[in-house]
């Protein structure tokens, strides 16, 4: 019987991505062959099928494409926005916008990415509003 080791367990792209987040760095991929950006990290480019993907630092700026508010009791942390963000590099990711009440996050709003380090949990990418 052959045991298949998931790429992540062998130091694959997801492990490298998470290691960068733990260091406070947000990275996305760029395909060497077609120059398209890719996020969430994967082994093959979804645009052209190439395996030549490099991890690169995006500008981190983007626009809120969609937003919804998850209603929670105050003792559970209060309301939380869940947003789809279009990065200027052309990729879309799900995250949240911080620094505003959940009800004040708006479609079309400009945002900037940052890595949120949490005690005892994986680091994650969140967004802050860009003023002006």
């Amino acid at each position: 019987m052959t045991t298949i080791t998931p790429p992540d367990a062998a130091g694959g792209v997801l492990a490298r991505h998470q290691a960068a987040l733990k260091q406070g760095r947000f990275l996305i991929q760029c395909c060497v062959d077609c120059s398209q950006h890719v996020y969430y990290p994967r082994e093959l480019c979804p645009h052209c099928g190439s395996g030549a993907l490099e991890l690169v630092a995006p500008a981190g700026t983007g626009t809120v494409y969609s937003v919804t508010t998850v209603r929670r009791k105050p003792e559970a942390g209060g309301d939380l926005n869940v947003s789809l963000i279009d990065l200027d590099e052309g990729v879309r990711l799900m995250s949240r916008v911080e620094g505003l009440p959940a009800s004040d996050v708006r479609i079309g709003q400009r945002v900037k990415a940052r890595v949120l380090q949490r005690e005892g949990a994986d680091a994650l990418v969140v967004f802050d509003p860009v003023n002006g």
Side-chain angles (χ1 to χ4, degrees), residues 67-91:
V67 62
T68 191
T69 300
V70 177
R71 302 286 181 198
R72 302 186 305 180
K73 294 180 181 181
E75 59 270 15
D79 291 349
L80 175 72
N81 75 81
V82 176
S83 299
L84 292 178
I85 308 293
D86 285 343
L87 289 183
D88 293 343
E89 287 81 5
V91 298

Side-chain angles (χ1 to χ4, degrees), residues 63-68 81-87 91-97 106-109 111 127:
T63 304
V64 176
Y65 173 80
S66 177
V67 62
T68 191
N81 75 81
V82 176
S83 299
L84 292 178
I85 308 293
D86 285 343
L87 289 183
V91 298
R92 180 175 292 159
L93 63 144
M94 185 181 297
S95 185
R96 67 179 183 247
V97 177
R106 298 283 181 246
I107 292 171
Q109 185 172 19
V111 291
F127 290 83

Side-chain angles (χ1 to χ4, degrees), residues 38-77:
V38 177
Y39 194 83
Y40 199 78
R42 55 198 80 196
E43 298 294 330
L44 298 174
C45 176
H47 305 285
C48 72
S50 172
L53 293 165
E54 297 179 331
L55 287 168
V56 298
T61 50
T63 304
V64 176
Y65 173 80
S66 177
V67 62
T68 191
T69 300
V70 177
R71 302 286 181 198
R72 302 186 305 180
K73 294 180 181 181
E75 59 270 15

